[in-house]
Structures are given as structure tokens and as C-alpha cells.
Amino acid sequence: MKLYSYWRSTTSYRVRAALNLKGLAYETIPVDLTADAQQAEDYVRLNPGKGVPTLVLDDGTVLTQSLAIIDYLDAVVPSPRLIPEEPAQRARVLAAAHTVALDIHPVNNLRLIGQLKSRYGATPEQARDWMDHWMTEGFNALEPQLSDTSTFSFGEAPDLADLCLVAQVYNAHRWGVDLSPFPKITRVEQACLGLPEIAAAHPDQQPDAIGS
């Protein structure tokens, strides 16, 4: 398999972690979002959404969107399971994952921040304040969803919610978000990074990492 990825992309981070947890071998192909490599004609043919990650299977099948990719991986390699089968637990895990993937991430991604700067003249400081605000708002919604006692978000093994969480907290560290009000989120991040498979998916460990 080939994974088109950008080292700092939180969506790519999620998929790298899922592939590693399932023990699947893949080749990382860097896509430099800051150099607009995602706009290149050959890449747009591969992924019309002009984003990352893109997973190309050994038979040439192309998959996009991190949550869809992870759902596919769970279907073809059920162990370890990342999306629970039990309906209520599945709904809880998906709700927490969606809090990150649908509420926090879309208003903080590179494309949107670029538009804030180019269309509306946002300064770097204003852009940072924007990101910090929406990450904090999202974490305020996520924190009470998590278990008070388990090692990970909902149990003793990582699931989809954990992969979304650990990737987003990487971004929070990067932009200086105050995490002291979020002890459960902090606990889960530490537990995730204690696993070699997730630690290996960390942005700083990627072949295209800059200044790591």
C-alpha cells in the first residue's frame, strides 16, 4: 500500500496510527501541503479533494478521507478493532471522534487559515487566536465525553476516538493551547504516545518532517 501523507497533517496522523496498530506495511509518499503539492494535476486525479491522506491499495484502489479509510481498515483487518461493534459504544466512540474530526479540524485546517489570511487580512496572531479558540471549544465538548477511569478514551485499548484525539492534541501543543483544563484528554494523549505504533505515527517521526 501507498499512503500519500503530509507529516503535520492530523488526518494523516490518524491513518498512520491505524495502519501501524493493525500491523499493515505501507510506503509513505510525502505531499507537501505548504508547497501546494496537493494542487498538482497528477495528485488531483488521484484525490479530487486536494487533501491528504490518500491510501492506494495494492490492487490500485484509491481511498480518501481519514475516517473512511480507517473504517475500511477495520472491515478488512478486524483486529485490533478501532470502531466498536456494540451499538451504544460504537455511537459514543464515533461521537467523540466526530467532535474532533467534524467540529474542531475543519475550522482549523490549512486551507481555511489560508483563506482567513488572504481574503480577510487576518494576521498570524489573529489566525493563531482563531485556532486556539476553536480547539479549546472542541476540547470543552470532548473532555466530558471521555471515561473518568479507563486508560484510553473508552477502555483499555485505543479506538478511533483516541486516534483523532492524539492527532488533534499534537496540533494544540504546536499552537500553544492551554491543556491544563483537560486532564482526561491529557491522560489519553500520554497513553496513546506510550504505544510504539502510535508513537511511530507521530509527525516528528515521518520521513518528510522538518526540524524534528
Side-chain angles (χ1 to χ4, degrees), residues 127-187:
R128 178 173 182 155
D129 182 66
W130 170 279
M131 289 187 285
D132 289 359
H133 170 78
W134 290 113
M135 278 189 267
T136 300
E137 286 289 298
F139 289 159
N140 279 327
L142 180 62
E143 178 80 5
Q145 296 181 53
L146 308 181
S147 166
D148 292 323
T149 58
S150 64
T151 301
F152 294 93
S153 293
F154 297 100
E156 297 309 307
D159 57 34
L160 178 64
D162 298 293
L163 302 192
C164 290
L165 181 153
V166 71
Q168 190 61 54
V169 175
Y170 162 78
N171 231 21
H173 287 307
R174 181 183 171 200
W175 296 108
V177 174
D178 179 12
L179 295 172
S180 60
F182 310 113
K184 290 190 282 187
I185 289 174
T186 301
R187 178 201 78 215

Side-chain angles (χ1 to χ4, degrees), residues 93-108:
V93 168
L94 288 175
H98 290 173
T99 298
V100 175
L102 304 183
D103 292 344
I104 302 175
H105 174 259
V107 294
N108 284 283

Side-chain angles (χ1 to χ4, degrees), residues 1 8 13 17 19 21 58-59 64-65 77 80 99 111 113 115 122 127 138 146 162 172 181 204:
M1 290 186 289
R8 274 183 168 164
Y13 189 171
L19 287 164
L21 285 167
D58 291 336
D59 66 359
T64 62
Q65 295 291 344
V77 184
T99 298
R111 287 185 288 193
I113 298 304
Q115 290 295 306
L146 308 181
D162 298 293
D204 291 349

Side-chain angles (χ1 to χ4, degrees), residues 17 24 49 53 65 101 115 148 167 181 183 189 192 195:
L24 296 171
Q65 295 291 344
Q115 290 295 306
D148 292 323
E189 183 212 17
C192 286
L195 295 178

Side-chain angles (χ1 to χ4, degrees), residues 82-98:
L82 299 175
I83 305 173
E85 292 183 291
E86 194 281 318
Q89 186 71 350
R90 179 185 180 88
R92 284 190 286 269
V93 168
L94 288 175
H98 290 173

Side-chain angles (χ1 to χ4, degrees), residues 4 8 35 61 167:
Y4 290 80
R8 274 183 168 164
T61 299

